Amino acid sequence: MRILHTSDWHLGRAFHRVNMLGAQAEFIAHLVTTVRERAVDAVVVSGDVYDRAVPPLAAVELFDDALHRLADLGVPTVMISGNHDSARRLGVGAGLIGRAGIHLRTEPSAAGTPVVLSDAHGEVAFYGLPYLEPALVKDEFGVEKPGHEAVLAAAMDRVRADLATRAPGTRSVVLAHAFVTGGEPSDSERDITVGGVAAVAAGVFDGVDYVALGHLHGCQTLTDRVRYSGSPLPYSFSEAAHRKSMWLVDLAADGSIDAERVDCPVPRPLARIRGTLEDLLADPELARHEEAWVEATLTDPVRPADPMARLTERFPHTLSLLFDPDRDREETEVSYARRLAGRSDQQIAEDFVAHVRGAGPDAREQGVLRDAFDAVRADETVREVAR
C-alpha cells in the first residue's frame, strides 16, 4: 500500500506579516497532483490542520476545497486533530464526511478503533491518535498522574489490543501528534510541556508497522518506522535550513517500509543574514538572497538610521530585523527578548523567583509552578473548545 504522509498544514497562519493562504492553496494542489500522479492508495494528515481553534473563514473554505478534491480522487484520507486544532470543531460531521472516504479521528476514546483499508495483500489498520492533552484525557485512559508518555502509552495499549484481535498479517499504521524524543523542534511549534516534560520515547509506538507523526515542523526520521513529515511550508526563520516535503511510504506485504521524500512547493526561500548594515548592503556573496524572505541581524555597535528602509532597497522581502551589537562583554546589556529566547515558561518563572529573592525555587516549589502552568494550559484548551 502506498501512503502519503503529511501534517501541520496550519491553514490560516501567516509568516510574519505575509499572508500564506495562497501558498497553502498551492500546496493543496500539489498534494492532490502527487496523489494522482504517484498512484497513492491512502493519505494521512497527522494533525494541526488549522493554526488555531477558531480558524478564519478563508482557511475553512480552503480545507473544504481540499476535502472535496481528495474525495473526488477516490483515495481514502485519514486525519487527526493536533494541539492547534479544536478537536470538536474539526470532528463535526465526521460520520457523514467518512462516507466520502475522508476519515476524521478527533475523539481520544476512538484510539483503538481503526480505519481499515485493503490492498492486494490484505488489510491495513489505520489508528488515529489525536493530540492528547494529558490533563483532559487522563480519566479516559485511566492514568493517575497525567503526562504525555502515560496517556500515549495507554492509547497505544488500546491499539495493540485491537490489533491482536485481527487476522494474522494485518498491517498497521498509527497517526499521532506529539513531541517524540530525538526530534528537532523549531521556533514555530506551540509548547506542549506538561510537568516539565514534553517528549515521549519512540518505544511507546512499538508493535506497529509505521508511525506517521505530526507536531514538529522539520521532516525527520527517528527510526525507519517512526517519522515526522514536517510542515509543508515554513512558519519561522528557524526553519531556514528545512527541506519542506512529504513522505511517500510504500508498506510492503510483510510490513517492511520503503520511504521517499516528495518536495513541496515553497513560495520563497528563507535566509538569515548577519553583519553590519554596510557589510550586508555591499557583500556580493549575499546576492543569492535578494529574492528571499530575509531575517537580518545587525551587529553595528550603534543602531544605524533607517535600517529597514535601507535593507529593503537590496533585500525587498526583509521581514525580520534584529539587533545584536558587537560590544565588549562588560558593555553588553542583554535585551529582555534575548534573555527569554529559547526558554520555557517554567524556566522564565524560576528565573524570576531567583531574581526576586536571590535563590531559585526548591523541588517542591518547582512542582507548584509546573502544576500551575499545566492547569493554565488545560484551562485555555477548554476555553478554546467552548468558544
Side-chain angles (χ1 to χ4, degrees), residues 24-55:
Q24 291 169 341
E26 186 178 353
F27 160 69
I28 295 298
H30 171 69
L31 171 72
V32 171
T33 298
T34 301
V35 171
R36 183 176 59 250
E37 294 184 350
R38 300 299 299 272
V40 170
D41 298 307
V43 176
V44 297
V45 186
S46 299
D48 282 355
V49 174
Y50 292 121
D51 187 57
R52 56 181 188 263
V54 185

Side-chain angles (χ1 to χ4, degrees), residues 317-330:
H317 305 288
T318 302
L319 299 180
S320 176
L321 180 59
L322 306 175
F323 294 91
D324 186 18
D326 284 337
R327 297 172 179 158
D328 293 337
R329 182 174 299 273
E330 58 270 19

Side-chain angles (χ1 to χ4, degrees), residues 49-109:
V49 174
Y50 292 121
D51 187 57
R52 56 181 188 263
V54 185
L57 178 59
V60 177
E61 291 173 338
L62 180 56
F63 180 58
D64 180 66
D65 178 63
L67 294 185
H68 278 84
R69 295 173 76 174
L70 288 168
D72 287 344
L73 291 174
V75 175
T77 299
V78 184
M79 297 183 172
I80 61 172
S81 50
N83 62 301
H84 279 250
D85 299 309
S86 165
R88 291 180 63 185
R89 282 187 172 84
L90 188 63
V92 169
L96 184 61
I97 295 170
R99 298 180 188 178
I102 308 294
H103 305 280
L104 299 173
R105 290 294 183 262
T106 63
E107 290 292 334
S109 60

Side-chain angles (χ1 to χ4, degrees), residues 56-287:
L57 178 59
V60 177
E61 291 173 338
L62 180 56
F63 180 58
D64 180 66
D65 178 63
L67 294 185
H68 278 84
R69 295 173 76 174
L70 288 168
D72 287 344
L73 291 174
V75 175
T77 299
V78 184
M79 297 183 172
I80 61 172
S81 50
N83 62 301
H84 279 250
D85 299 309
S86 165
R88 291 180 63 185
R89 282 187 172 84
L90 188 63
V92 169
L96 184 61
I97 295 170
R99 298 180 188 178
I102 308 294
H103 305 280
L104 299 173
R105 290 294 183 262
T106 63
E107 290 292 334
S109 60
T113 305
V115 176
V116 180
L117 306 177
S118 299
D119 64 6
H121 305 291
E123 293 186 339
V124 180
F126 289 78
Y127 297 89
L129 310 186
Y131 171 66
L132 302 175
E133 175 60 46
L136 301 182
V137 302
K138 63 182 180 67
D139 293 337
E140 166 65 34
F141 291 107
V143 174
E144 292 185 7
K145 186 175 181 180
H148 286 293
E149 186 146 359
V151 296
L152 268 172
M156 283 301 302
D157 285 343
R158 294 188 183 183
V159 169
R160 285 184 284 266
D162 179 83
L163 195 56
T165 68
R166 300 192 175 272
T170 299
R171 289 157 292 163
S172 54
V173 175
V174 165
L175 290 71
H177 196 87
F179 186 177
V180 179
T181 303
E184 288 292 330
S186 63
D187 293 343
S188 53
E189 298 115 7
R190 182 181 293 171
D191 180 30
I192 59 172
T193 301
V194 172
V197 178
V200 301
V204 165
F205 300 103
D206 286 350
V208 296
D209 294 309
Y210 184 69
V211 181
L213 292 174
H215 180 55
L216 299 185
H217 289 182
C219 182
Q220 302 170 60
T221 301
L222 303 186
T223 74
D224 186 53
R225 298 184 182 276
V226 182
R227 300 170 187 260
Y228 282 101
S229 66
S231 62
L233 292 164
Y235 293 113
S236 73
F237 277 102
S238 65
E239 301 168 60
H242 287 187
R243 173 187 163 195
K244 295 302 181 181
S245 58
M246 303 176 284
W247 283 113
L248 192 66
V249 177
D250 286 324
L251 180 59
D254 63 356
S256 60
I257 296 293
D258 184 36
E260 171 192 348
R261 290 180 72 175
V262 178
D263 290 328
C264 296
V266 176
R268 198 176 294 279
L270 307 186
R272 293 177 123 172
I273 59 178
R274 178 185 178 89
T276 66
L277 179 58
E278 296 303 328
D279 286 346
L280 296 183
L281 296 176
D283 188 350
E285 291 294 318
L286 299 180

